[in-house]
Amino acid sequence: MKTERLVILAVEDDPGDLVVLRRLSQDVSRWDVEVVDCASSTACISRLAQGGVDLVLLDYQLGAVTGLAVLQAIQQAGFDCPVVFLTGMGDEQLAVEALQAGAVDYLPKSALSARSFQRVVGNAVEKAGLQRLVMRHQESLERANKELQDRNREITRFYHTVSHELKTPLTSAREFASLLLDEVPGEVNELQAEYLEYVLDSCDQLTRFVNDMLDVTRVETGKLKIQAQAGDLGEVVRRTVSTLRPVASKRGLRLEHSIPADLPQAWLDEQRVMQVLSNLLTNAIKFTPDGGQVSVQVARERADDRLLGVSVADSGFGIEDSQLEAVFDRLHQTDGDCADMEEPNFRGGLGLGLSICREIVQLHGGRIHAQSTLGEGSTFHFTVPVAGIPTQLEPKDSSS
């Protein structure tokens, strides 16, 4: 029993061929087929505009007009109805052109039969149905992608707004705490000085968070830039280690560095590389138990002497293998085996620092990765180009 109705528009100017098509349509077992006809491009577009057409059978030659011209008119009018070309004897090359132009199939008039007609019609309708499903799915994905992009822009705007709103009062709070600690308004006792040190440390931590959020907005908007030039990577490492050595000493950690005397100059933005190194060292100090060791080693890369490598190794708790790539993702948090860590030393961050580090290193034309063994420690390694050596890894000028 035929339960589905199928409307076929036959664009054909040969009455004899129309009779054949109508007769063959009665033998289709799956659908109750209705064949409507027209003999010109204008009439075809007019009928399609009325709606309800499931398939177009298009004669390749309509007087002085080709079926390809009619197909183009159908497409330009915005109709997605499947089109099957009817071709004459020896028109295989024309059929190929029709398929390339957007037809779903072709049917030689010389091969018209109930079986071939039903096969071509069935395949065309099913193919068109699948194409519509794919298009709907694609449209759904595009809508979802747009929503994600909109949300991402909202988050980026939120980061930017919050960062700027926090920066001014945070700076003021730190300055007033510093004035009190320096006893500008008057003397403070030992306990008060200790509490003020906590205030300053907290202000510094919040400042790092604010700066991270600002950098994230720059990354998302493509405005995170570097101003690279020839510089002394070894000196950058020495300054950063010197800045963080008091922090490590408070924890009873040994903080060491190794820099070869003959190290060539690097192509780098010193402040941005210092930011990367400071982030890696801060994490290493935070996740290394009291009495452990953190070391920085600088060397020319063995695998590629156009690059200088910096390794930050610690004797901390380590990172699971499954987390090594994810640690560089934005907002990723890796707690590790920190159950016995004291809360003041191991407060989690925003999960932004390492993602920013990766972006900065990549802007330099370098790479960053991590290695770790649970219970033994972790090593973070990044590279920057040697100055003055042409390399495909050397970054484009990003100062503009």
Side-chain angles (χ1 to χ4, degrees):
M1 181 179 178
K2 300 178 182 180
T3 58
E4 297 181 67
R5 184 169 180 269
L6 184 70
V7 176
I8 297 177
L9 176 60
V11 187
E12 174 64 69
D13 58 359
D14 187 327
D17 288 339
L18 283 172
V19 171
V20 174
L21 292 175
R22 284 196 168 88
R23 179 175 57 80
L24 293 176
S25 69
Q26 303 307 310
D27 296 329
V28 176
S29 59
R30 178 175 173 182
W31 295 284
D32 180 13
V33 179
E34 177 188 356
V35 177
V36 296
D37 65 272
C38 62
S40 69
S41 175
T42 303
C44 173
I45 298 302
S46 177
R47 179 61 185 84
L48 288 174
Q50 297 175 28
V53 175
D54 300 297
L55 174 67
V56 175
L57 291 178
L58 179 57
D59 192 3
Y60 191 85
Q61 195 64 46
L62 295 167
V65 180
T66 67
L68 288 176
V70 179
L71 175 60
Q72 186 177 18
I74 292 173
Q75 293 170 338
Q76 290 177 346
F79 299 112
D80 62 353
C81 187
V83 176
V84 173
F85 265 77
L86 297 174
T87 63
M89 181 78 69
D91 284 345
E92 287 79 7
Q93 181 58 40
L94 299 178
V96 171
E97 293 178 15
L99 293 175
Q100 291 174 342
V104 297
D105 208 344
Y106 71 96
L107 182 61
K109 291 182 179 181
S110 60
L112 274 174
S113 66
R115 185 173 182 178
S116 64
F117 184 84
Q118 179 162 298
R119 175 185 60 78
V120 169
V121 169
N123 289 345
V125 172
E126 290 179 5
K127 183 177 181 180
L130 289 173
Q131 288 175 337
R132 292 191 186 98
L133 285 175
V134 170
M135 289 180 63
R136 283 198 291 269
H137 184 60
Q138 184 176 351
E139 290 170 356
S140 175
L141 289 176
E142 289 174 353
R143 285 195 300 270
N145 184 54
K146 184 180 183 303
E147 289 175 3
L148 288 174
Q149 290 178 339
D150 290 342
R151 290 182 183 180
N152 188 58
R153 280 191 290 268
E154 289 176 4
I155 292 173
T156 299
R157 284 196 295 268
F158 174 76
Y159 279 156
H160 190 267
T161 301
V162 169
S163 301
H164 278 284
E165 292 297 325
L166 286 176
K167 202 162 189 178
T168 299
L170 182 58
T171 300
S172 298
R174 193 192 190 288
E175 287 301 317
F176 280 112
S178 182
L179 289 173
L180 289 172
L181 188 60
D182 292 340
E183 299 184 332
V184 173
E187 292 185 5
V188 296
N189 61 39
E190 185 175 340
L191 182 60
Q192 290 170 334
E194 181 182 351
Y195 288 170
L196 287 171
E197 288 284 359
Y198 285 137
V199 173
L200 289 177
D201 287 344
S202 296
C203 286
D204 289 340
Q205 184 183 35
L206 285 173
T207 299
R208 288 193 295 271
F209 289 168
V210 168
N211 290 334
D212 281 350
M213 288 193 293
L214 284 171
D215 278 341
V216 164
T217 64
R218 296 185 183 108
V219 170
E220 293 299 322
T221 57
K223 294 181 180 179
L224 181 65
K225 307 294 184 182
I226 64 169
Q227 296 180 340
Q229 59 185 6
D232 189 341
L233 178 60
E235 182 59 26
V236 170
V237 171
R238 292 186 190 95
R239 292 205 309 266
T240 310
V241 169
S242 176
T243 300
L244 290 172
R245 184 165 277 129
V247 181
S249 297
K250 286 182 181 180
R251 299 276 319 288
L253 301 177
R254 298 189 307 278
L255 177 54
E256 303 172 348
H257 61 76
S258 173
I259 304 169
D262 58 347
L263 190 71
Q265 285 198 313
W267 182 257
L268 79 169
D269 181 324
E270 292 188 2
Q271 292 301 316
R272 285 299 186 182
V273 171
M274 188 176 292
Q275 179 181 350
V276 172
L277 188 57
S278 178
N279 186 283
L280 297 180
L281 282 172
T282 300
N283 286 344
I285 291 170
K286 180 165 64 174
F287 291 106
T288 299
D290 293 355
Q293 178 174 326
V294 177
S295 62
V296 184
Q297 184 173 4
V298 185
R300 204 153 186 165
E301 289 287 279
R302 293 182 180 179
D304 188 344
D305 63 4
R306 299 172 300 174
L307 300 173
L308 298 178
V310 181
S311 296
V312 177
D314 63 62
S315 58
F317 292 88
I319 305 169
E320 294 183 1
D321 289 343
S322 60
Q323 299 291 313
L324 286 177
E325 289 297 327
V327 294
F328 296 102
D329 293 341
R330 193 179 72 180
L331 301 180
H332 180 82
Q333 298 277 357
T334 299
D335 296 329
D337 186 11
C338 304
D340 56 348
M341 294 180 178
E342 297 179 7
E343 182 63 23
N345 293 330
F346 300 99
R347 290 174 293 182
L350 299 178
L352 302 175
L354 287 177
S355 68
I356 296 169
C357 287
R358 179 174 60 184
E359 186 71 19
I360 292 173
V361 171
Q362 289 177 348
L363 285 173
H364 280 82
R367 302 287 184 270
I368 186 169
H369 68 276
Q371 296 175 312
S372 185
T373 301
L374 281 177
E376 297 182 13
S378 305
T379 299
F380 284 78
H381 183 83
F382 69 91
T383 60
V384 293
V386 174
I389 297 182
T391 167
Q392 63 181 3
L393 292 175
E394 191 162 324
K396 298 177 181 179
D397 181 11
S398 61
S399 60
S400 59

